[in-house]
Coordinates of all heavy atoms in Angstrom, one line a residue:
M1 N 112.8 64.3 85.0 CA 112.2 65.6 85.2 C 110.7 65.5 85.0 O 110.2 64.8 84.1 CB 112.7 66.6 84.1 CG 112.3 68.0 84.3 SD 113.1 69.1 83.1 CE 114.7 69.3 83.7
S2 N 109.9 66.1 85.9 CA 108.4 66.0 85.8 C 107.9 66.7 84.6 O 108.5 67.6 84.1 CB 107.8 66.5 87.1 OG 107.6 67.9 87.0
P3 N 106.7 66.2 84.1 CA 106.1 66.9 82.9 C 105.9 68.4 83.1 O 106.0 69.2 82.2 CB 104.8 66.2 82.7 CG 104.9 64.9 83.5 CD 105.9 65.2 84.5
L4 N 105.7 68.7 84.4 CA 105.4 70.1 84.7 C 106.6 71.0 84.6 O 106.5 72.2 84.2 CB 104.9 70.2 86.2 CG 103.9 71.3 86.5 CD1 102.7 71.3 85.5 CD2 103.3 71.0 87.9
T5 N 107.8 70.5 84.8 CA 109.0 71.3 84.8 C 109.9 70.9 83.6 O 111.0 71.4 83.6 CB 109.8 71.2 86.1 OG1 110.0 69.8 86.3 CG2 109.0 71.7 87.2
A6 N 109.4 70.1 82.7 CA 110.3 69.7 81.5 C 110.7 71.0 80.7 O 110.0 72.0 80.7 CB 109.5 68.8 80.6
S7 N 111.8 70.9 80.1 CA 112.3 72.1 79.3 C 111.3 72.3 78.2 O 110.7 71.4 77.7 CB 113.7 71.7 78.7 OG 113.6 70.8 77.7
P8 N 111.2 73.6 77.7 CA 110.3 73.9 76.6 C 110.4 73.0 75.4 O 109.5 72.6 74.8 CB 110.6 75.4 76.3 CG 111.2 75.9 77.6 CD 111.9 74.7 78.2
A9 N 111.7 72.7 75.1 CA 111.9 71.9 73.9 C 111.3 70.5 74.0 O 110.9 69.9 73.0 CB 113.4 71.7 73.7
A10 N 111.1 70.0 75.2 CA 110.5 68.7 75.4 C 109.0 68.7 75.5 O 108.4 67.7 75.6 CB 111.1 68.0 76.6
V11 N 108.5 69.9 75.4 CA 107.0 70.0 75.6 C 106.4 70.8 74.4 O 106.4 72.0 74.4 CB 106.7 70.8 76.9 CG1 105.2 70.8 77.1 CG2 107.4 70.1 78.1
P12 N 106.0 70.1 73.4 CA 105.5 70.7 72.2 C 104.1 71.3 72.3 O 103.2 70.8 71.8 CB 105.6 69.6 71.1 CG 105.3 68.4 71.9 CD 105.9 68.6 73.3
T13 N 104.0 72.4 73.1 CA 102.7 73.0 73.3 C 102.9 74.5 72.9 O 104.0 75.1 72.9 CB 102.2 72.9 74.7 OG1 103.2 73.4 75.6 CG2 101.8 71.5 75.0
D14 N 101.8 75.1 72.8 CA 101.7 76.6 72.5 C 102.3 77.2 73.8 O 101.9 76.9 74.9 CB 100.2 76.9 72.4 CG 99.9 78.3 72.4 OD1 100.8 79.1 72.1 OD2 98.8 78.7 72.9
P15 N 103.2 78.2 73.6 CA 103.8 78.9 74.7 C 102.8 79.4 75.7 O 103.0 79.3 76.9 CB 104.6 80.0 74.1 CG 104.9 79.5 72.7 CD 103.7 78.7 72.3
A16 N 101.7 80.0 75.2 CA 100.7 80.6 76.1 C 100.1 79.6 77.0 O 99.8 79.8 78.2 CB 99.7 81.4 75.3
E17 N 99.8 78.4 76.3 CA 99.2 77.3 77.1 C 100.2 76.8 78.2 O 99.8 76.6 79.3 CB 98.9 76.2 76.1 CG 98.0 75.1 76.7 CD 97.8 74.0 75.6 OE1 97.7 74.4 74.4 OE2 97.8 72.8 75.9
R18 N 101.5 76.7 77.7 CA 102.5 76.2 78.7 C 102.6 77.2 79.9 O 102.8 76.8 81.0 CB 103.8 76.1 77.9 CG 104.9 75.5 78.8 CD 104.7 74.1 79.1 NE 105.8 73.6 80.0 CZ 105.6 72.8 81.0 NH1 104.4 72.3 81.3 NH2 106.7 72.4 81.7
I19 N 102.6 78.5 79.5 CA 102.7 79.5 80.6 C 101.6 79.4 81.6 O 101.7 79.4 82.8 CB 102.9 80.9 80.0 CG1 104.2 81.1 79.4 CG2 102.6 82.0 81.1 CD1 104.4 82.4 78.5
G20 N 100.4 79.1 81.0 CA 99.3 78.9 81.9 C 99.4 77.7 82.8 O 99.1 77.8 84.0
E21 N 100.0 76.6 82.3 CA 100.2 75.4 83.1 C 101.2 75.8 84.2 O 101.1 75.4 85.4 CB 100.8 74.3 82.3 CG 99.8 73.6 81.3 CD 100.5 72.7 80.4 OE1 101.8 72.5 80.5 OE2 99.8 72.1 79.5
L22 N 102.3 76.5 83.8 CA 103.4 76.7 84.8 C 102.9 77.7 85.8 O 103.2 77.6 87.0 CB 104.6 77.3 84.0 CG 105.3 76.3 83.2 CD1 106.3 77.0 82.3 CD2 106.0 75.2 84.0
R23 N 102.0 78.6 85.5 CA 101.4 79.6 86.5 C 100.5 78.8 87.4 O 100.5 79.1 88.6 CB 100.7 80.7 85.8 CG 101.6 81.7 85.2 CD 100.8 82.8 84.6 NE 101.7 83.9 84.1 CZ 101.4 84.9 83.3 NH1 100.1 84.9 82.9 NH2 102.3 85.8 83.0
T24 N 99.9 77.8 86.9 CA 99.1 77.0 87.8 C 100.0 76.3 88.8 O 99.7 76.2 90.0 CB 98.3 75.9 87.0 OG1 97.4 76.6 86.1 CG2 97.5 75.0 87.9
A25 N 101.1 75.8 88.4 CA 102.1 75.2 89.2 C 102.7 76.2 90.3 O 102.8 75.8 91.5 CB 103.3 74.6 88.4
I26 N 102.9 77.4 89.8 CA 103.4 78.4 90.8 C 102.3 78.7 91.8 O 102.6 78.9 93.0 CB 103.8 79.7 90.0 CG1 105.1 79.5 89.4 CG2 103.8 80.9 91.0 CD1 105.7 80.7 88.6
D27 N 101.0 78.8 91.4 CA 99.9 79.0 92.3 C 99.9 77.9 93.4 O 99.6 78.2 94.6 CB 98.6 79.1 91.6 CG 98.5 80.4 90.7 OD1 99.3 81.3 90.9 OD2 97.6 80.4 89.9
A28 N 100.1 76.7 93.0 CA 100.1 75.6 93.9 C 101.3 75.7 94.9 O 101.1 75.5 96.1 CB 100.2 74.2 93.2
C29 N 102.4 76.1 94.4 CA 103.6 76.3 95.3 C 103.3 77.4 96.3 O 103.6 77.3 97.5 CB 104.8 76.8 94.5 SG 105.6 75.5 93.5
D30 N 102.7 78.5 95.8 CA 102.4 79.7 96.7 C 101.4 79.2 97.8 O 101.6 79.6 98.9 CB 101.9 80.9 95.9 CG 102.9 81.5 95.0 OD1 104.1 81.2 95.2 OD2 102.6 82.4 94.2
A31 N 100.4 78.5 97.4 CA 99.4 78.0 98.4 C 100.1 77.2 99.5 O 99.8 77.3 100.7 CB 98.3 77.2 97.7
E32 N 101.1 76.3 99.1 CA 101.8 75.5 100.0 C 102.7 76.4 100.9 O 102.8 76.2 102.1 CB 102.7 74.5 99.3 CG 101.9 73.3 98.9 CD 102.9 72.2 98.4 OE1 103.9 71.8 99.1 OE2 102.7 71.8 97.2
I33 N 103.3 77.4 100.3 CA 104.2 78.3 101.1 C 103.4 79.0 102.1 O 103.8 79.1 103.3 CB 105.0 79.2 100.2 CG1 106.0 78.5 99.3 CG2 105.6 80.3 101.0 CD1 106.6 79.3 98.2
I34 N 102.2 79.5 101.7 CA 101.3 80.3 102.6 C 100.9 79.4 103.8 O 100.9 79.8 104.9 CB 100.1 80.9 101.9 CG1 100.6 82.0 100.9 CG2 99.1 81.4 102.8 CD1 99.6 82.4 99.9
E35 N 100.5 78.2 103.5 CA 100.1 77.2 104.5 C 101.3 76.9 105.5 O 101.1 76.9 106.7 CB 99.6 75.9 103.8 CG 98.8 75.1 104.7 CD 98.3 73.8 104.0 OE1 97.9 73.9 102.8 OE2 98.3 72.8 104.6
L36 N 102.5 76.8 104.9 CA 103.6 76.5 105.8 C 104.0 77.7 106.7 O 104.3 77.6 107.8 CB 104.8 76.1 104.9 CG 104.8 74.7 104.3 CD1 106.0 74.6 103.3 CD2 104.9 73.7 105.4
V37 N 103.9 78.9 106.1 CA 104.2 80.1 106.9 C 103.1 80.2 108.0 O 103.5 80.5 109.1 CB 104.1 81.4 106.0 CG1 104.1 82.6 106.8 CG2 105.3 81.4 105.0
Q38 N 101.9 79.9 107.7 CA 100.9 80.0 108.8 C 101.1 78.9 109.8 O 101.0 79.2 111.0 CB 99.5 79.8 108.2 CG 99.0 81.0 107.3 CD 97.8 80.8 106.6 OE1 97.4 79.6 106.2 NE2 97.0 81.8 106.3
R39 N 101.5 77.7 109.4 CA 101.8 76.7 110.4 C 103.0 77.1 111.2 O 103.1 76.9 112.4 CB 102.1 75.4 109.7 CG 102.5 74.2 110.5 CD 101.9 72.9 110.1 NE 102.2 72.5 108.7 CZ 103.1 71.6 108.4 NH1 103.8 71.0 109.3 NH2 103.3 71.3 107.1
R40 N 104.1 77.6 110.5 CA 105.3 78.1 111.3 C 104.9 79.1 112.3 O 105.4 79.1 113.5 CB 106.3 78.6 110.3 CG 107.6 78.9 110.9 CD 108.5 79.7 110.0 NE 109.9 79.6 110.5 CZ 110.3 80.2 111.6 NH1 109.5 81.0 112.3 NH2 111.6 80.1 112.0
L41 N 104.0 80.1 111.9 CA 103.7 81.1 112.8 C 103.0 80.6 114.1 O 103.2 81.0 115.2 CB 102.7 82.1 112.1 CG 102.3 83.4 112.8 CD1 103.5 84.2 113.2 CD2 101.4 84.2 111.9
A42 N 102.1 79.6 113.9 CA 101.3 79.0 115.0 C 102.3 78.3 116.0 O 102.2 78.4 117.2 CB 100.3 78.1 114.5
I43 N 103.3 77.6 115.4 CA 104.3 76.9 116.2 C 105.1 77.9 117.0 O 105.4 77.7 118.2 CB 105.2 76.0 115.3 CG1 104.3 74.9 114.7 CG2 106.3 75.4 116.1 CD1 105.1 74.1 113.6
S44 N 105.6 78.9 116.3 CA 106.4 79.9 116.9 C 105.7 80.6 118.1 O 106.3 80.8 119.2 CB 106.8 81.0 115.9 OG 107.6 82.0 116.4
H45 N 104.4 80.9 117.9 CA 103.6 81.5 119.0 C 103.5 80.5 120.2 O 103.5 80.9 121.3 CB 102.2 81.9 118.5 CG 102.2 83.2 117.7 ND1 101.2 83.6 116.9 CD2 103.2 84.1 117.6 CE1 101.5 84.8 116.4 NE2 102.7 85.1 116.8
E46 N 103.3 79.3 119.9 CA 103.2 78.3 120.9 C 104.5 78.2 121.7 O 104.4 78.2 123.0 CB 102.8 76.9 120.4 CG 102.5 75.9 121.5 CD 101.9 74.6 121.0 OE1 101.5 74.5 119.8 OE2 101.8 73.6 121.8
I47 N 105.6 78.2 121.0 CA 106.9 78.2 121.8 C 107.0 79.4 122.6 O 107.4 79.4 123.8 CB 108.1 78.1 120.8 CG1 108.1 76.8 120.0 CG2 109.4 78.3 121.5 CD1 109.2 76.7 118.9
G48 N 106.6 80.6 122.1 CA 106.7 81.9 122.8 C 105.9 81.8 124.1 O 106.3 82.3 125.1
S49 N 104.7 81.3 123.9 CA 103.8 81.2 125.1 C 104.3 80.3 126.2 O 104.3 80.6 127.4 CB 102.4 80.7 124.6 OG 101.8 81.5 123.7
L50 N 104.9 79.1 125.7 CA 105.5 78.2 126.7 C 106.7 78.8 127.4 O 106.8 78.7 128.6 CB 105.9 76.9 126.0 CG 104.8 76.0 125.5 CD1 105.4 74.9 124.6 CD2 104.1 75.3 126.7
R51 N 107.5 79.5 126.7 CA 108.7 80.1 127.3 C 108.2 81.3 128.2 O 108.7 81.3 129.4 CB 109.6 80.7 126.2 CG 110.9 81.0 126.8 CD 112.1 81.2 125.8 NE 111.7 82.0 124.6 CZ 111.7 81.5 123.3 NH1 112.2 80.3 123.1 NH2 111.3 82.2 122.3
A52 N 107.2 82.1 127.8 CA 106.8 83.1 128.7 C 106.1 82.6 130.0 O 106.4 83.1 131.1 CB 105.8 84.0 128.0
A53 N 105.4 81.5 129.8 CA 104.7 80.9 131.0 C 105.7 80.3 132.0 O 105.5 80.2 133.2 CB 103.8 79.8 130.5
A54 N 106.9 79.9 131.4 CA 108.0 79.4 132.3 C 108.9 80.5 132.8 O 109.9 80.2 133.4 CB 108.8 78.4 131.5
G55 N 108.5 81.8 132.5 CA 109.3 82.9 133.0 C 110.5 83.2 132.2 O 111.4 84.0 132.6
G56 N 110.5 82.7 131.0 CA 111.7 82.9 130.1 C 111.5 84.2 129.3 O 110.5 85.0 129.4
T57 N 112.5 84.5 128.4 CA 112.5 85.7 127.6 C 111.5 85.5 126.4 O 111.2 84.3 126.1 CB 113.9 86.0 127.0 OG1 114.3 84.8 126.3 CG2 114.9 86.3 128.2
R58 N 111.1 86.6 125.9 CA 110.1 86.5 124.8 C 110.8 85.9 123.5 O 110.3 85.1 122.7 CB 109.6 87.9 124.5 CG 108.7 88.0 123.3 CD 107.3 88.3 123.8 NE 106.5 88.4 122.6 CZ 106.1 89.6 122.1 NH1 106.5 90.7 122.6 NH2 105.4 89.6 121.0
L59 N 112.1 86.3 123.3 CA 112.9 85.9 122.1 C 114.0 85.0 122.5 O 114.5 85.1 123.7 CB 113.4 87.1 121.4 CG 112.4 88.1 120.9 CD1 113.1 89.3 120.2 CD2 111.3 87.5 120.0
S60 N 114.5 84.3 121.6 CA 115.8 83.5 121.7 C 116.7 83.9 120.6 O 116.6 83.4 119.5 CB 115.5 82.0 121.7 OG 116.7 81.3 121.6
L61 N 117.6 84.8 120.9 CA 118.4 85.4 119.8 C 119.4 84.3 119.3 O 119.7 84.3 118.1 CB 119.2 86.6 120.3 CG 118.3 87.7 120.7 CD1 119.1 89.0 121.2 CD2 117.4 88.2 119.6
A62 N 119.8 83.4 120.1 CA 120.7 82.3 119.7 C 120.0 81.4 118.6 O 120.5 81.1 117.6 CB 121.2 81.5 120.8
R63 N 118.8 81.1 119.0 CA 117.9 80.3 118.1 C 117.7 81.1 116.7 O 117.7 80.5 115.7 CB 116.6 80.0 118.7 CG 115.6 79.3 117.9 CD 116.1 77.9 117.4 NE 115.1 77.3 116.6 CZ 115.2 76.2 115.8 NH1 116.4 75.7 115.8 NH2 114.3 75.8 115.1
E64 N 117.4 82.4 116.8 CA 117.2 83.2 115.6 C 118.4 83.1 114.7 O 118.3 83.1 113.5 CB 116.9 84.6 116.0 CG 115.5 84.7 116.7 CD 114.9 86.1 116.7 OE1 115.6 87.0 116.2 OE2 113.8 86.3 117.3
Q65 N 119.6 83.2 115.3 CA 120.8 83.1 114.5 C 120.9 81.7 113.8 O 121.3 81.7 112.6 CB 122.1 83.2 115.4 CG 122.3 84.6 115.9 CD 122.3 85.7 114.8 OE1 122.9 85.6 113.8 NE2 121.5 86.7 115.0
Q66 N 120.5 80.7 114.4 CA 120.5 79.3 113.7 C 119.5 79.4 112.6 O 119.8 78.9 111.5 CB 120.0 78.3 114.7 CG 121.0 77.9 115.8 CD 120.5 76.9 116.8 OE1 119.3 76.5 116.7 NE2 121.3 76.4 117.7
V67 N 118.3 79.9 112.8 CA 117.3 80.0 111.7 C 117.8 80.8 110.6 O 117.8 80.4 109.4 CB 116.0 80.6 112.3 CG1 115.0 80.9 111.1 CG2 115.4 79.7 113.3
L68 N 118.4 82.0 110.8 CA 118.9 82.8 109.8 C 120.0 82.2 109.0 O 120.1 82.3 107.8 CB 119.4 84.2 110.3 CG 118.2 85.1 110.9 CD1 118.8 86.3 111.5 CD2 117.2 85.4 109.8
A69 N 120.9 81.5 109.8 CA 122.0 80.8 109.1 C 121.5 79.7 108.1 O 122.0 79.5 107.0 CB 122.9 80.2 110.1
R70 N 120.4 79.0 108.6 CA 119.9 77.9 107.7 C 119.3 78.5 106.4 O 119.6 78.0 105.3 CB 118.8 77.2 108.5 CG 118.2 76.0 107.8 CD 117.4 75.1 108.6 NE 116.3 75.8 109.3 CZ 116.1 75.7 110.6 NH1 116.8 74.9 111.4 NH2 115.0 76.4 111.1
F71 N 118.6 79.6 106.6 CA 118.0 80.2 105.3 C 119.1 80.8 104.5 O 119.1 80.7 103.2 CB 117.0 81.3 105.7 CG 115.6 80.8 105.9 CD1 115.2 80.3 107.2 CD2 114.7 80.7 104.9 CE1 114.0 79.8 107.4 CE2 113.4 80.2 105.1 CZ 113.1 79.7 106.4
G72 N 120.1 81.4 105.1 CA 121.2 82.0 104.3 C 122.0 80.9 103.6 O 122.4 81.1 102.4
D73 N 122.3 79.8 104.3 CA 123.1 78.7 103.7 C 122.4 78.1 102.5 O 123.0 77.8 101.5 CB 123.4 77.6 104.7 CG 124.4 78.1 105.8 OD1 125.0 79.1 105.6 OD2 124.5 77.3 106.8
A74 N 121.1 78.0 102.7 CA 120.3 77.3 101.6 C 120.0 78.3 100.4 O 120.0 77.9 99.3 CB 119.0 76.8 102.2
L75 N 119.8 79.6 100.7 CA 119.2 80.4 99.7 C 120.0 81.7 99.5 O 119.6 82.6 98.7 CB 117.8 80.8 100.1 CG 116.8 79.6 100.2 CD1 115.5 80.1 100.8 CD2 116.6 78.9 98.9
G76 N 121.1 81.9 100.2 CA 121.9 83.1 100.0 C 121.4 84.3 100.8 O 120.5 84.1 101.6
P77 N 121.9 85.5 100.5 CA 121.5 86.7 101.3 C 120.0 86.9 101.3 O 119.4 87.3 102.3 CB 122.3 87.8 100.6 CG 123.5 87.1 99.9 CD 123.0 85.8 99.6
D78 N 119.4 86.7 100.1 CA 117.9 87.0 100.1 C 117.2 85.9 100.9 O 116.1 86.2 101.5 CB 117.4 86.9 98.6 CG 117.7 88.1 97.8 OD1 118.2 89.1 98.4 OD2 117.6 88.1 96.6
G79 N 117.8 84.7 101.0 CA 117.2 83.7 101.9 C 117.3 84.1 103.4 O 116.3 84.0 104.1
A80 N 118.4 84.7 103.7 CA 118.5 85.2 105.1 C 117.5 86.3 105.4 O 116.9 86.4 106.5 CB 119.9 85.7 105.4
A81 N 117.3 87.2 104.4 CA 116.3 88.2 104.5 C 114.9 87.6 104.7 O 114.0 88.1 105.4 CB 116.3 89.1 103.3
L82 N 114.6 86.5 103.9 CA 113.3 85.8 104.0 C 113.2 85.3 105.4 O 112.1 85.4 106.0 CB 113.3 84.7 102.9 CG 112.0 83.9 102.9 CD1 110.8 84.7 102.6 CD2 112.2 82.8 101.8
G83 N 114.3 84.6 105.9 CA 114.2 84.1 107.3 C 113.9 85.2 108.3 O 113.1 85.0 109.2
M84 N 114.5 86.4 108.1 CA 114.2 87.5 109.0 C 112.8 87.9 109.0 O 112.2 88.3 110.0 CB 115.2 88.7 108.6 CG 115.0 89.9 109.5 SD 115.3 89.5 111.2 CE 117.1 89.5 111.3
L85 N 112.2 87.9 107.8 CA 110.8 88.3 107.7 C 109.9 87.3 108.4 O 109.0 87.7 109.1 CB 110.3 88.3 106.2 CG 110.8 89.5 105.3 CD1 110.4 89.3 103.9 CD2 110.2 90.8 105.9
L86 N 110.3 86.0 108.3 CA 109.5 85.0 109.1 C 109.6 85.2 110.6 O 108.7 85.1 111.3 CB 110.0 83.6 108.7 CG 109.7 83.2 107.2 CD1 110.4 81.9 106.9 CD2 108.2 83.0 107.0
L87 N 110.9 85.5 111.0 CA 111.1 85.7 112.4 C 110.3 86.9 112.9 O 109.6 86.9 114.0 CB 112.5 85.9 112.7 CG 113.4 84.6 112.6 CD1 114.9 85.0 112.7 CD2 113.0 83.6 113.7
R88 N 110.3 88.0 112.1 CA 109.6 89.2 112.5 C 108.1 89.0 112.6 O 107.4 89.5 113.4 CB 109.9 90.3 111.4 CG 111.0 91.3 111.8 CD 111.3 92.3 110.8 NE 110.1 92.9 110.2 CZ 110.1 93.7 109.1 NH1 111.3 93.8 108.5 NH2 109.0 94.2 108.6
Q89 N 107.6 88.2 111.6 CA 106.2 87.9 111.6 C 105.8 87.2 113.0 O 104.7 87.4 113.5 CB 105.8 87.0 110.4 CG 104.4 86.9 110.2 CD 104.0 85.8 109.3 OE1 104.7 84.8 109.2 NE2 102.9 86.0 108.6
G90 N 106.7 86.3 113.4 CA 106.4 85.5 114.6 C 106.5 86.4 115.9 O 105.9 86.1 116.9
R91 N 107.3 87.5 115.8 CA 107.5 88.3 117.0 C 106.3 89.1 117.3 O 106.1 89.4 118.5 CB 108.7 89.2 116.8 CG 110.0 88.6 116.8 CD 111.1 89.6 116.4 NE 112.4 89.1 116.4 CZ 113.5 89.7 116.1 NH1 113.3 91.0 115.6 NH2 114.7 89.2 116.1
G92 N 105.6 89.6 116.3 CA 104.5 90.5 116.5 C 105.0 91.8 117.1 O 106.1 92.2 116.9
R93 N 104.2 92.4 118.0 CA 104.6 93.7 118.6 C 105.6 93.4 119.7 O 105.3 92.6 120.6 CB 103.4 94.4 119.1 CG 102.6 95.1 118.1 CD 101.3 95.7 118.7 NE 101.6 96.6 119.8 CZ 101.8 97.9 119.6 NH1 101.8 98.4 118.4 NH2 102.1 98.7 120.6
L94 N 106.7 94.1 119.6 CA 107.7 93.9 120.7 C 107.5 94.8 121.8 O 107.0 95.9 121.7 CB 109.1 94.0 120.1 CG 109.6 92.9 119.2 CD1 111.0 93.2 118.7 CD2 109.6 91.6 119.9
Ligands
LIG1 O1 112.7 78.5 118.6 C1 112.2 79.3 119.5 O2 112.7 79.3 120.6 C2 111.2 80.3 119.1 O3 110.7 81.0 119.9 C3 110.7 80.3 117.7 C4 111.3 81.5 117.0 C5 111.0 81.3 115.4 O4 110.0 81.9 115.0 O5 111.8 80.6 114.8 C6 110.7 82.8 117.4 C7 111.3 83.6 118.3 C8 112.6 83.4 118.8 O6 113.3 84.6 119.0 C9 113.4 82.4 118.1 C10 112.8 81.6 117.2

């Protein structure tokens, strides 16, 4: 287990200090998540542009089902909801 995520018993520090460290770790996770969401959005837009330029549909509902199933399988119902938010963000105005 990494020092950052070790159980409290294994880390003899002041709880407030430890909470500060853990919040720093959460902030780093959030920054990565935001960067990934932005990257995903750019990729999704590029696919949409390519499909539109080729005369295709704006959306691919079959593909959306795959994405939602992946999030749901990994993270449960809230994960599927998270996947839906990501898809909605990529859709923009319909
Ligand atoms: O994979 C695609 O074909 C995409 O257009 C990407 C994406 C997505 O954001 O995951 C976006 C819109 C589609 O309806 C399905 C999936």
Side-chain angles (χ1 to χ4, degrees):
M1 190 178 281
S2 83
L4 210 48
T5 56
S7 68
V11 183
T13 52
D14 167 29
E17 190 181 323
R18 182 70 181 141
I19 287 170
E21 288 173 1
L22 291 170
R23 283 183 174 165
T24 298
I26 283 179
D27 290 348
C29 286
D30 288 349
E32 279 188 54
I33 291 168
I34 289 167
E35 199 177 316
L36 285 171
V37 169
Q38 289 172 332
R39 178 142 55 104
R40 188 190 195 289
L41 185 58
I43 293 168
S44 179
H45 281 165
E46 187 170 349
I47 293 174
S49 298
L50 288 168
R51 193 164 42 239
T57 56
R58 176 110 181 261
L59 302 179
S60 168
L61 298 182
R63 173 64 180 166
E64 292 195 2
Q65 290 307 313
Q66 289 177 356
V67 171
L68 293 177
R70 184 167 56 227
F71 273 87
D73 288 348
L75 302 171
D78 284 348
L82 178 60
M84 182 56 81
L85 286 177
L86 292 171
L87 289 171
R88 263 179 44 195
Q89 192 195 31
R91 286 174 178 175
R93 283 172 58 87
L94 288 178

